Amino acid sequence: AETERDAENLLLTRNGGALMMLNRYPYTSGHLMVAPRRHTAGFAELKPDEGADLQALLQLGVRALTAVYGPEGFNIGANLGEAAGAGIAEHLHFHIVPRWCGDTNFMSAVGGARVLPECLDETHARLAEAVKGLLAEQTK
């Protein structure tokens, strides 16, 4: 609810039932997460309007990432439950990870480290501007 802290919290946008934010520990630049505003772990328990709001932000995220970074593909998914690898098992969220051919290199595969070409503040500024523009186009 504190919109003045959106940049600090890496929040890009919200709609009636969902939020879109940067992942604080990204796999690639632009790694986004979309989550319902209501605290729930259960995908099957989402109300139809919450599911529609999640879908709308997933699509918006793909469009914003395409506009800003021009990825060659995306991984979109959710880890449902601790056994499936959910880092925050008690709150459902989806990941949107932009991908490029050859983007998995020796650093992550062998060194166990991630290398990002820009800091999260810059990523947030770039994507926030793109999201704002795309939302303005939708209301025309």
Side-chain angles (χ1 to χ4, degrees):
E2 300 178 36
T3 58
E4 67 275 358
R5 295 185 62 206
D6 283 357
E8 177 185 339
N9 292 322
L10 303 176
L11 190 74
L12 293 166
T13 194
R14 58 179 62 78
N15 61 19
L19 310 165
M20 179 174 33
M21 69 212 81
L22 290 177
N23 187 321
R24 194 165 293 278
Y25 306 101
Y27 290 108
T28 64
S29 290
H31 179 168
L32 301 178
M33 295 191 309
V34 175
R37 292 178 83 154
R38 181 172 61 92
H39 185 71
T40 182
F43 181 71
E45 284 78 43
L46 288 174
K47 297 173 185 172
D49 59 327
E50 291 173 319
D53 287 342
L54 283 167
Q55 180 71 22
L57 289 188
L58 287 167
Q59 289 174 317
L60 178 63
V62 167
R63 290 195 335 265
L65 288 166
T66 298
V68 173
Y69 293 101
E72 298 170 306
F74 294 93
N75 290 117
I76 299 174
N79 301 329
L80 305 177
E82 184 179 351
I88 305 173
E90 58 279 354
H91 195 93
L92 170 69
H93 58 280
F94 288 82
H95 294 265
I96 308 172
V97 181
R99 301 298 307 269
W100 295 265
C101 292
D103 66 3
T104 300
N105 60 37
F106 74 94
M107 290 298 289
S108 56
V110 177
R114 297 181 189 147
V115 178
L116 299 172
E118 68 184 5
C119 69
L120 284 175
D121 292 339
E122 177 65 21
T123 302
H124 183 272
R126 293 176 70 188
L127 285 171
E129 186 65 28
V131 165
K132 182 180 173 183
L134 289 166
L135 287 171
E137 285 177 20
Q138 283 181 352
T139 60
K140 288 182 184 179

